[in-house]
Amino acid sequence: MTETQTIAQPKARILRQYELLELIRAYNPELNEDMINRAYVYATKMHGSQLRASGDPYYAHPVEVAGILTQLKLDEASIVTGLLHDTVEDTDATYDEIVRLFGEEVAGLVQGVTKLTQLEVTAERTTQAENLQKFVLALSKDIRVLLVKLADRLHNMRTLHFIKKHEKRVRIARETLDIYAPLANRLGMNEVRVELEDLCFFALFPMRAPLIQKAVKVAHGNRKEGVANIRQALEKRLTDSGITARVIGREKHLLSIYQKMKDKQKSFDEIMDVYGFRVIVDSVDTCYRTLG
């Protein structure tokens, strides 16, 4: 049986203009509302009647990208870039017009994101992912370009199931695994990396992924509560032993569980380390005491 099943999900509600402002204002009360409002209106106007594969108006995508960037608490120029990142490539907008309306800083960021998008299209399949990652990093003089591009790819992966052609979904998912998930990891964006990898897992293995997801839920019930309980027990034991440490607990994500099952040729029931914990201490000596 080939894995060509598509995961059907409801369309997301489009983030409204005032809601985007509220998200930014929550961490930046001094924001330039006029600039955000103008960028929001400009993006909706320029993308006009364009539609995404989901049937949603195309401007929903840059608006959601901007919303993701607010979760990273990025500055106004980055948020505006998120709203405008596809205008030069996909509409009649020009670089000079972006400069005139939003300034050289924003125009430079939009241009950087556009170059990365063009890189995706022109890169040969034989190009090694590691070399492409290095090229992406070298090409981006401003790290905000990479952050906008990661937000762009994250939203595209969240809506990948609307693309009808299985081959295209697979190509995009493999590209994401090879380039963007490692890039997120290199930038220290673990939550983004994990979400990208699990979205790729569902795209590449749409029949196996839900089965493993269900098995994890059945096996561990409220996993977040389980992680919290174990972390608290570790912290208490360390404190009782006179060790000062920071304990970070997480549940292994679906792709990592599947890869371990595959590498070790074991069933899910044989894979027990679904949780992972990191203990951070202040010295090598304390590290060995903690291990003991």
Side-chain angles (χ1 to χ4, degrees):
M1 180 182 295
T2 58
E3 302 211 19
T4 58
Q5 174 183 337
T6 303
I7 305 168
Q9 297 181 15
K11 299 177 185 179
R13 186 178 66 85
I14 300 173
L15 190 66
R16 297 178 183 273
Q17 192 169 339
Y18 75 90
E19 292 174 324
L20 178 61
L21 288 172
E22 288 178 356
L23 290 174
I24 304 169
R25 196 180 293 112
Y27 66 88
N28 179 17
E30 305 298 325
L31 83 158
N32 184 341
E33 292 189 14
D34 176 66
M35 190 176 189
I36 301 295
N37 284 329
R38 286 190 294 109
Y40 191 107
V41 172
Y42 184 80
T44 58
K45 176 184 175 182
M46 295 307 295
H47 288 294
S49 59
Q50 294 175 353
L51 297 177
R52 286 174 59 79
S54 62
D56 288 331
Y58 190 90
Y59 71 82
H61 168 65
V63 168
E64 291 303 317
V65 169
I68 292 171
L69 294 172
T70 66
Q71 296 171 20
L72 301 175
K73 295 182 170 56
L74 292 189
D75 63 335
E76 293 169 6
S78 300
I79 305 298
V80 172
T81 301
L83 291 168
L84 305 178
H85 75 275
D86 278 337
T87 53
V88 173
E89 183 180 16
D90 294 336
T91 76
D92 294 331
T94 65
Y95 172 80
D96 290 339
E97 186 174 48
I98 300 298
V99 171
R100 179 172 58 83
L101 294 174
F102 301 101
E104 291 187 0
E105 181 183 15
V106 168
L109 292 173
V110 171
Q111 187 178 52
V113 177
T114 302
K115 286 182 179 179
L116 292 185
T117 302
Q118 292 170 346
L119 176 64
E120 292 174 356
V121 177
T122 58
E124 297 180 3
R125 293 189 177 185
T126 55
T127 302
Q128 293 182 1
E130 180 65 22
N131 290 336
L132 191 53
Q133 289 175 42
K134 291 178 182 178
F135 186 46
V136 167
L137 287 169
L139 181 63
S140 301
K141 297 179 181 179
D142 192 320
I143 193 173
R144 292 176 295 178
V145 170
L146 297 177
L147 297 177
V148 173
K149 189 60 193 173
L150 280 171
D152 169 53
R153 178 51 62 112
L154 180 57
H155 184 253
N156 280 333
M157 285 302 302
R158 287 175 177 175
T159 56
L160 185 67
H161 54 277
F162 288 114
I163 295 177
K164 293 181 179 179
K165 289 186 178 180
H166 173 67
E167 295 78 9
K168 185 174 182 180
R169 293 198 306 273
V170 168
R171 177 183 62 78
I172 293 172
R174 292 197 183 283
E175 180 183 70
T176 301
L177 270 183
D178 288 342
I179 301 171
Y180 291 100
L183 181 60
N185 186 55
R186 183 173 295 186
L187 294 176
M189 302 168 66
N190 188 61
E191 289 185 9
V192 173
R193 175 189 69 84
V194 168
E195 184 175 355
L196 286 174
E197 288 183 349
D198 279 350
L199 288 169
C200 290
F201 183 37
F202 275 90
L204 296 171
F205 303 101
M207 296 178 68
R208 297 178 212 178
L211 293 176
I212 293 179
Q213 184 183 50
K214 182 178 180 181
V216 170
K217 288 182 178 180
V218 170
H220 295 280
N222 191 331
R223 291 175 289 156
K224 289 185 178 180
E225 182 178 327
V227 170
N229 290 339
I230 295 172
R231 187 185 68 248
Q232 290 171 7
L234 284 171
E235 289 173 342
K236 183 178 185 305
R237 183 64 181 271
L238 290 167
T239 300
D240 291 345
S241 300
I243 295 175
T244 301
R246 184 159 65 100
V247 181
I248 301 172
R250 64 180 177 85
E251 49 185 291
K252 296 287 183 70
H253 62 292
L254 301 178
L255 180 61
S256 66
I257 294 173
Y258 172 70
Q259 287 176 331
K260 187 164 186 179
M261 290 169 59
K262 185 178 178 181
D263 293 342
K264 297 198 172 185
Q265 296 185 339
K266 292 185 176 182
S267 67
F268 176 81
D269 292 337
E270 296 175 291
I271 301 295
M272 299 305 296
D273 59 335
V274 181
Y275 298 146
F277 293 88
R278 180 176 297 169
V279 180
I280 302 174
V281 294
D282 59 0
S283 69
V284 174
D285 178 67
T286 306
C287 179
Y288 281 105
R289 288 174 58 208
T290 302
L291 286 173

